[in-house]
PDB file of all heavy atoms in Angstrom:
ATOM      1  N   ARG A  49     137.611-131.875  88.807  1.00 84.00           N
ATOM      2  CA  ARG A  49     138.725-130.925  88.963  1.00 84.00           C
ATOM      3  C   ARG A  49     138.327-129.532  88.487  1.00 84.00           C
ATOM      4  O   ARG A  49     137.768-129.379  87.396  1.00 84.00           O
ATOM      5  CB  ARG A  49     139.938-131.334  88.139  1.00 84.00           C
ATOM      6  CG  ARG A  49     140.696-132.497  88.593  1.00 84.00           C
ATOM      7  CD  ARG A  49     141.346-132.306  89.959  1.00 84.00           C
ATOM      8  NE  ARG A  49     142.078-133.504  90.260  1.00 84.00           N
ATOM      9  CZ  ARG A  49     141.510-134.674  90.541  1.00 84.00           C
ATOM     10  NH1 ARG A  49     140.199-134.761  90.620  1.00 84.00           N
ATOM     11  NH2 ARG A  49     142.238-135.735  90.761  1.00 84.00           N
ATOM     12  N   LEU A 235     146.664-141.660  97.863  1.00 94.00           N
ATOM     13  CA  LEU A 235     146.776-140.442  97.057  1.00 94.00           C
ATOM     14  C   LEU A 235     146.568-139.196  97.911  1.00 94.00           C
ATOM     15  O   LEU A 235     146.736-138.081  97.446  1.00 94.00           O
ATOM     16  CB  LEU A 235     145.768-140.452  95.899  1.00 94.00           C
ATOM     17  CG  LEU A 235     145.982-141.535  94.843  1.00 94.00           C
ATOM     18  CD1 LEU A 235     145.022-141.345  93.683  1.00 94.00           C
ATOM     19  CD2 LEU A 235     147.415-141.558  94.337  1.00 94.00           C
ATOM     20  N   HIS A 236     146.181-139.401  99.158  1.00 95.00           N
ATOM     21  CA  HIS A 236     145.935-138.255 100.062  1.00 95.00           C
ATOM     22  C   HIS A 236     146.893-138.379 101.250  1.00 95.00           C
ATOM     23  O   HIS A 236     148.103-138.454 101.060  1.00 95.00           O
ATOM     24  CB  HIS A 236     144.447-138.270 100.434  1.00 95.00           C
ATOM     25  CG  HIS A 236     143.926-137.034 101.102  1.00 95.00           C
ATOM     26  ND1 HIS A 236     144.580-135.836 101.081  1.00 95.00           N
ATOM     27  CD2 HIS A 236     142.786-136.820 101.832  1.00 95.00           C
ATOM     28  CE1 HIS A 236     143.883-134.926 101.748  1.00 95.00           C
ATOM     29  NE2 HIS A 236     142.794-135.506 102.227  1.00 95.00           N
ATOM     30  N   ALA A 239     150.106-140.613 101.742  1.00 93.00           N
ATOM     31  CA  ALA A 239     151.283-140.383 100.897  1.00 93.00           C
ATOM     32  C   ALA A 239     152.534-140.114 101.743  1.00 93.00           C
ATOM     33  O   ALA A 239     153.632-140.498 101.355  1.00 93.00           O
ATOM     34  CB  ALA A 239     151.023-139.220  99.943  1.00 93.00           C
ATOM     35  N   GLN A 276     154.067-146.353  90.478  1.00 82.00           N
ATOM     36  CA  GLN A 276     153.007-145.860  89.584  1.00 82.00           C
ATOM     37  C   GLN A 276     152.965-144.343  89.626  1.00 82.00           C
ATOM     38  O   GLN A 276     152.833-143.688  88.605  1.00 82.00           O
ATOM     39  CB  GLN A 276     151.671-146.451  90.003  1.00 82.00           C
ATOM     40  CG  GLN A 276     151.609-147.925  89.640  1.00 82.00           C
ATOM     41  CD  GLN A 276     150.208-148.448  89.733  1.00 82.00           C
ATOM     42  OE1 GLN A 276     149.408-147.974  90.533  1.00 82.00           O
ATOM     43  NE2 GLN A 276     149.902-149.435  88.923  1.00 82.00           N
ATOM     44  N   VAL A 277     153.062-143.820  90.839  1.00 90.00           N
ATOM     45  CA  VAL A 277     153.220-142.366  90.976  1.00 90.00           C
ATOM     46  C   VAL A 277     154.368-142.133  91.949  1.00 90.00           C
ATOM     47  O   VAL A 277     154.647-142.972  92.793  1.00 90.00           O
ATOM     48  CB  VAL A 277     151.951-141.668  91.539  1.00 90.00           C
ATOM     49  CG1 VAL A 277     150.805-141.719  90.579  1.00 90.00           C
ATOM     50  CG2 VAL A 277     151.579-142.208  92.898  1.00 90.00           C
ATOM     51  N   VAL A 278     155.034-141.012  91.820  1.00 92.00           N
ATOM     52  CA  VAL A 278     156.078-140.668  92.787  1.00 92.00           C
ATOM     53  C   VAL A 278     155.372-140.031  93.980  1.00 92.00           C
ATOM     54  O   VAL A 278     154.821-138.927  93.856  1.00 92.00           O
ATOM     55  CB  VAL A 278     157.092-139.667  92.190  1.00 92.00           C
ATOM     56  CG1 VAL A 278     158.184-139.355  93.206  1.00 92.00           C
ATOM     57  CG2 VAL A 278     157.677-140.216  90.905  1.00 92.00           C
ATOM     58  N   PRO A 279     155.343-140.720  95.127  1.00 92.00           N
ATOM     59  CA  PRO A 279     154.587-140.163  96.241  1.00 92.00           C
ATOM     60  C   PRO A 279     155.216-138.862  96.742  1.00 92.00           C
ATOM     61  O   PRO A 279     156.435-138.705  96.722  1.00 92.00           O
ATOM     62  CB  PRO A 279     154.648-141.252  97.320  1.00 92.00           C
ATOM     63  CG  PRO A 279     155.769-142.132  96.955  1.00 92.00           C
ATOM     64  CD  PRO A 279     155.995-141.994  95.480  1.00 92.00           C
ATOM     65  N   GLY A 280     154.353-137.946  97.167  1.00 95.00           N
ATOM     66  CA  GLY A 280     154.849-136.668  97.683  1.00 95.00           C
ATOM     67  C   GLY A 280     155.035-135.625  96.596  1.00 95.00           C
ATOM     68  O   GLY A 280     155.395-134.491  96.894  1.00 95.00           O
ATOM     69  N   TYR A 281     154.787-136.005  95.360  1.00 96.00           N
ATOM     70  CA  TYR A 281     154.904-135.040  94.258  1.00 96.00           C
ATOM     71  C   TYR A 281     153.575-134.924  93.532  1.00 96.00           C
ATOM     72  O   TYR A 281     152.833-135.895  93.422  1.00 96.00           O
ATOM     73  CB  TYR A 281     156.018-135.464  93.280  1.00 96.00           C
ATOM     74  CG  TYR A 281     157.374-135.057  93.809  1.00 96.00           C
ATOM     75  CD1 TYR A 281     157.966-135.787  94.831  1.00 96.00           C
ATOM     76  CD2 TYR A 281     158.015-133.918  93.345  1.00 96.00           C
ATOM     77  CE1 TYR A 281     159.192-135.396  95.361  1.00 96.00           C
ATOM     78  CE2 TYR A 281     159.236-133.514  93.870  1.00 96.00           C
ATOM     79  CZ  TYR A 281     159.820-134.258  94.879  1.00 96.00           C
ATOM     80  OH  TYR A 281     161.020-133.853  95.399  1.00 96.00           O
ATOM     81  N   GLY A 282     153.284-133.742  93.033  1.00 95.00           N
ATOM     82  CA  GLY A 282     152.031-133.519  92.314  1.00 95.00           C
ATOM     83  C   GLY A 282     150.964-132.951  93.230  1.00 95.00           C
ATOM     84  O   GLY A 282     151.065-133.030  94.464  1.00 95.00           O
ATOM     85  N   HIS A 283     149.976-132.344  92.633  1.00 94.00           N
ATOM     86  CA  HIS A 283     148.856-131.810  93.419  1.00 94.00           C
ATOM     87  C   HIS A 283     147.683-131.539  92.497  1.00 94.00           C
ATOM     88  O   HIS A 283     147.874-131.193  91.331  1.00 94.00           O
ATOM     89  CB  HIS A 283     149.254-130.508  94.131  1.00 94.00           C
ATOM     90  CG  HIS A 283     148.394-130.217  95.307  1.00 94.00           C
ATOM     91  ND1 HIS A 283     147.203-129.530  95.192  1.00 94.00           N
ATOM     92  CD2 HIS A 283     148.520-130.552  96.622  1.00 94.00           C
ATOM     93  CE1 HIS A 283     146.654-129.453  96.392  1.00 94.00           C
ATOM     94  NE2 HIS A 283     147.423-130.061  97.274  1.00 94.00           N
ATOM     95  N   ALA A 284     146.474-131.721  93.051  1.00 92.00           N
ATOM     96  CA  ALA A 284     145.284-131.511  92.228  1.00 92.00           C
ATOM     97  C   ALA A 284     145.016-130.033  91.970  1.00 92.00           C
ATOM     98  O   ALA A 284     144.362-129.684  90.991  1.00 92.00           O
ATOM     99  CB  ALA A 284     144.079-132.157  92.909  1.00 92.00           C
ATOM    100  N   LEU A 324     159.429-135.761  86.096  1.00 93.00           N
ATOM    101  CA  LEU A 324     157.975-135.697  85.878  1.00 93.00           C
ATOM    102  C   LEU A 324     157.641-134.783  84.699  1.00 93.00           C
ATOM    103  O   LEU A 324     156.730-135.081  83.919  1.00 93.00           O
ATOM    104  CB  LEU A 324     157.256-135.232  87.147  1.00 93.00           C
ATOM    105  CG  LEU A 324     157.221-136.238  88.314  1.00 93.00           C
ATOM    106  CD1 LEU A 324     156.547-135.626  89.538  1.00 93.00           C
ATOM    107  CD2 LEU A 324     156.510-137.527  87.923  1.00 93.00           C
ATOM    108  N   LYS A 329     153.084-136.097  82.136  1.00 92.00           N
ATOM    109  CA  LYS A 329     151.702-136.398  82.547  1.00 92.00           C
ATOM    110  C   LYS A 329     151.239-135.491  83.690  1.00 92.00           C
ATOM    111  O   LYS A 329     150.188-134.853  83.608  1.00 92.00           O
ATOM    112  CB  LYS A 329     151.598-137.865  82.994  1.00 92.00           C
ATOM    113  CG  LYS A 329     151.549-138.835  81.821  1.00 92.00           C
ATOM    114  CD  LYS A 329     150.843-140.136  82.141  1.00 92.00           C
ATOM    115  CE  LYS A 329     151.388-140.856  83.349  1.00 92.00           C
ATOM    116  NZ  LYS A 329     150.664-142.080  83.668  1.00 92.00           N
ATOM    117  N   ALA A 330     152.029-135.447  84.759  1.00 95.00           N
ATOM    118  CA  ALA A 330     151.594-134.704  85.957  1.00 95.00           C
ATOM    119  C   ALA A 330     151.472-133.215  85.652  1.00 95.00           C
ATOM    120  O   ALA A 330     152.378-132.616  85.083  1.00 95.00           O
ATOM    121  CB  ALA A 330     152.595-134.922  87.090  1.00 95.00           C
ATOM    122  N   LYS A 331     150.340-132.638  86.052  1.00 94.00           N
ATOM    123  CA  LYS A 331     150.163-131.194  85.810  1.00 94.00           C
ATOM    124  C   LYS A 331     151.048-130.376  86.744  1.00 94.00           C
ATOM    125  O   LYS A 331     151.372-129.230  86.465  1.00 94.00           O
ATOM    126  CB  LYS A 331     148.692-130.802  85.997  1.00 94.00           C
ATOM    127  CG  LYS A 331     147.799-131.400  84.914  1.00 94.00           C
ATOM    128  CD  LYS A 331     146.408-130.792  84.957  1.00 94.00           C
ATOM    129  CE  LYS A 331     145.456-131.557  84.055  1.00 94.00           C
ATOM    130  NZ  LYS A 331     145.174-132.942  84.560  1.00 94.00           N
ATOM    131  N   ASN A 336     154.662-131.869  97.306  1.00 95.00           N
ATOM    132  CA  ASN A 336     153.588-131.405  98.191  1.00 95.00           C
ATOM    133  C   ASN A 336     154.035-131.603  99.647  1.00 95.00           C
ATOM    134  O   ASN A 336     155.151-132.082  99.909  1.00 95.00           O
ATOM    135  CB  ASN A 336     152.273-132.120  97.868  1.00 95.00           C
ATOM    136  CG  ASN A 336     152.381-133.630  97.968  1.00 95.00           C
ATOM    137  OD1 ASN A 336     152.744-134.162  99.014  1.00 95.00           O
ATOM    138  ND2 ASN A 336     152.084-134.330  96.869  1.00 95.00           N
ATOM    139  N   ASP A 338     153.489-133.742 101.826  1.00 94.00           N
ATOM    140  CA  ASP A 338     153.818-135.092 102.276  1.00 94.00           C
ATOM    141  C   ASP A 338     155.235-135.523 101.902  1.00 94.00           C
ATOM    142  O   ASP A 338     155.744-136.506 102.429  1.00 94.00           O
ATOM    143  CB  ASP A 338     152.820-136.104 101.697  1.00 94.00           C
ATOM    144  CG  ASP A 338     151.417-135.863 102.219  1.00 94.00           C
ATOM    145  OD1 ASP A 338     151.283-135.638 103.426  1.00 94.00           O
ATOM    146  OD2 ASP A 338     150.458-135.887 101.421  1.00 94.00           O
ATOM    147  N   PHE A 360     148.308-136.515 111.069  1.00 96.00           N
ATOM    148  CA  PHE A 360     147.727-135.662 110.027  1.00 96.00           C
ATOM    149  C   PHE A 360     146.263-135.364 110.400  1.00 96.00           C
ATOM    150  O   PHE A 360     145.782-134.230 110.328  1.00 96.00           O
ATOM    151  CB  PHE A 360     147.830-136.398 108.686  1.00 96.00           C
ATOM    152  CG  PHE A 360     147.655-135.552 107.443  1.00 96.00           C
ATOM    153  CD1 PHE A 360     148.232-135.952 106.234  1.00 96.00           C
ATOM    154  CD2 PHE A 360     146.913-134.383 107.443  1.00 96.00           C
ATOM    155  CE1 PHE A 360     148.082-135.200 105.078  1.00 96.00           C
ATOM    156  CE2 PHE A 360     146.748-133.624 106.291  1.00 96.00           C
ATOM    157  CZ  PHE A 360     147.324-134.037 105.101  1.00 96.00           C
TER     158      PHE A 360
HETATM  159  N1  LIG B   1     154.057-139.263  89.834  1.00 50.09           N
HETATM  160  C1  LIG B   1     153.746-139.819  88.641  1.00 50.09           C
HETATM  161  N2  LIG B   1     152.654-139.493  87.920  1.00 50.09           N
HETATM  162  C2  LIG B   1     151.869-138.518  88.440  1.00 50.09           C
HETATM  163  C3  LIG B   1     152.152-137.863  89.641  1.00 50.09           C
HETATM  164  C4  LIG B   1     153.296-138.281  90.365  1.00 50.09           C
HETATM  165  N3  LIG B   1     153.611-137.756  91.554  1.00 50.09           N
HETATM  166  N4  LIG B   1     151.187-136.942  89.884  1.00 50.09           N
HETATM  167  C5  LIG B   1     150.321-137.023  88.863  1.00 50.09           C
HETATM  168  N5  LIG B   1     150.729-137.990  87.986  1.00 50.09           N
HETATM  169  C6  LIG B   1     150.007-138.449  86.797  1.00 50.09           C
HETATM  170  C7  LIG B   1     148.631-138.944  87.225  1.00 50.09           C
HETATM  171  O1  LIG B   1     148.689-140.278  87.721  1.00 50.09           O
HETATM  172  C8  LIG B   1     147.847-138.799  85.955  1.00 50.09           C
HETATM  173  O2  LIG B   1     148.170-139.907  85.121  1.00 50.09           O
HETATM  174  P1  LIG B   1     147.050-140.582  84.161  1.00 50.09           P
HETATM  175  O3  LIG B   1     146.668-139.506  83.202  1.00 50.09           O
HETATM  176  O4  LIG B   1     147.785-141.730  83.560  1.00 50.09           O
HETATM  177  O5  LIG B   1     145.907-140.997  85.054  1.00 50.09           O
HETATM  178  C9  LIG B   1     148.450-137.543  85.324  1.00 50.09           C
HETATM  179  O6  LIG B   1     149.757-137.380  85.926  1.00 50.09           O
HETATM  180  C10 LIG B   1     147.645-136.285  85.559  1.00 50.09           C
HETATM  181  O7  LIG B   1     147.420-136.127  86.955  1.00 50.09           O
HETATM  182  P2  LIG B   1     147.257-134.659  87.583  1.00 50.09           P
HETATM  183  O8  LIG B   1     146.048-134.030  86.969  1.00 50.09           O
HETATM  184  O9  LIG B   1     148.539-133.912  87.525  1.00 50.09           O
HETATM  185  O10 LIG B   1     147.025-134.964  89.126  1.00 50.09           O
HETATM  186  P3  LIG B   1     145.655-135.349  89.861  1.00 50.09           P
HETATM  187  O11 LIG B   1     144.934-134.096  90.190  1.00 50.09           O
HETATM  188  O12 LIG B   1     144.893-136.386  89.114  1.00 50.09           O
HETATM  189  O13 LIG B   1     146.194-136.041  91.193  1.00 50.09           O
HETATM  190  C11 LIG B   1     147.603-136.297  93.068  1.00 50.09           C
HETATM  191  C12 LIG B   1     146.810-135.294  92.210  1.00 50.09           C
HETATM  192  C13 LIG B   1     148.140-135.571  94.288  1.00 50.09           C
HETATM  193  C14 LIG B   1     146.658-137.411  93.527  1.00 50.09           C
HETATM  194  C15 LIG B   1     148.765-136.866  92.210  1.00 50.09           C
HETATM  195  O14 LIG B   1     149.670-135.844  91.871  1.00 50.09           O
HETATM  196  C16 LIG B   1     149.499-137.995  92.914  1.00 50.09           C
HETATM  197  O15 LIG B   1     149.066-139.148  92.819  1.00 50.09           O
HETATM  198  N6  LIG B   1     150.624-137.694  93.657  1.00 50.09           N
HETATM  199  C17 LIG B   1     151.319-138.682  94.426  1.00 50.09           C
HETATM  200  C18 LIG B   1     150.548-138.990  95.700  1.00 50.09           C
HETATM  201  C19 LIG B   1     150.644-137.840  96.683  1.00 50.09           C
HETATM  202  O16 LIG B   1     151.710-137.295  96.950  1.00 50.09           O
HETATM  203  N7  LIG B   1     149.504-137.503  97.301  1.00 50.09           N
HETATM  204  C20 LIG B   1     149.458-136.480  98.368  1.00 50.09           C
HETATM  205  C21 LIG B   1     148.816-135.167  97.909  1.00 50.09           C
HETATM  206  C22 LIG B   1     148.703-134.196  99.047  1.00 50.09           C
HETATM  207  C23 LIG B   1     147.689-134.668 100.053  1.00 50.09           C
HETATM  208  O17 LIG B   1     146.489-134.750  99.715  1.00 50.09           O
HETATM  209  O18 LIG B   1     148.069-135.017 101.184  1.00 50.09           O
END
Side-chain angles (χ1 to χ4, degrees):
R49 288 296 181 290
L235 295 186
H236 193 17
Q276 288 194 330
V277 292
V278 181
Y281 279 77
H283 202 273
L324 289 177
K329 282 206 306 178
K331 292 191 190 68
N336 57 57
D338 296 316
F360 197 154

